[in-house]
């Protein structure tokens, strides 16, 4: 899927601020992951409801549409998990 096709698919749900498709740095081939940033959260929520699990035109597999993971949040959760499971925990 091209970036233009990605934007066409998602634009029906609201105003797109930015979009990006991840590509392999060596081969330049798509990694099958894209990001859309909408103007409003409700637009993103509607896109998730409308597109998650659907097969876009020309696709052979359904797509997963969700909010992006927050890397700092994941790191914080890992640290809290380590602290919680530490034998030195009081």
């Amino acid at each position: 899927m091209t970036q233009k096709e990605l934007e066409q698919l998602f634009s029906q749900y609201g105003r797109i601020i930015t979009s990006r498709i991840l590509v392999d740095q060596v081969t330049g081939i798509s990694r099958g992951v894209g990001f859309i940033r909408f103007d409003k959260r409700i637009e993103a929520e509607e896109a998730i409801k409308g597109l998650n699990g659907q097969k876009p035109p020309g696709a052979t597999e359904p797509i997963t549409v969700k909010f992006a993971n927050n890397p700092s949040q994941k790191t914080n959760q890992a640290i809290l998990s380590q602290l919680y499971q530490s034998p030195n925990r009081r």
Side-chain angles (χ1 to χ4, degrees):
M1 179 177 280
T2 67
Q3 189 166 336
K4 185 177 178 181
E5 291 169 332
L6 181 70
E7 286 188 11
Q8 286 174 342
L9 180 65
F10 282 84
S11 65
Q12 62 187 317
Y13 294 97
R15 189 166 85 90
I16 295 172
I17 303 297
T18 58
S19 66
R20 185 171 134 207
I21 293 181
L22 297 185
V23 295
D24 184 279
Q25 294 296 317
V26 177
T27 64
I29 296 173
S30 170
R31 292 175 49 194
V33 177
F35 295 92
I36 295 288
R37 182 174 176 201
F38 284 101
D39 186 32
K40 298 180 179 131
R41 182 178 181 90
I42 189 72
E43 296 168 341
E45 291 169 352
E46 290 300 318
I48 291 169
K49 284 183 204 169
L51 293 174
N52 187 43
Q54 300 298 311
K55 280 189 201 176
T60 57
E61 299 288 324
I63 59 173
T64 300
V65 182
K66 62 180 185 171
F67 283 106
N69 296 333
N70 182 341
S72 62
Q73 185 180 21
K74 192 182 286 185
T75 303
N76 290 342
Q77 287 174 344
I79 290 169
L80 288 174
S81 176
Q82 287 175 350
L83 289 173
Y84 185 76
Q85 295 172 3
S86 169
N88 298 331
R89 181 174 169 259
R90 296 178 188 221

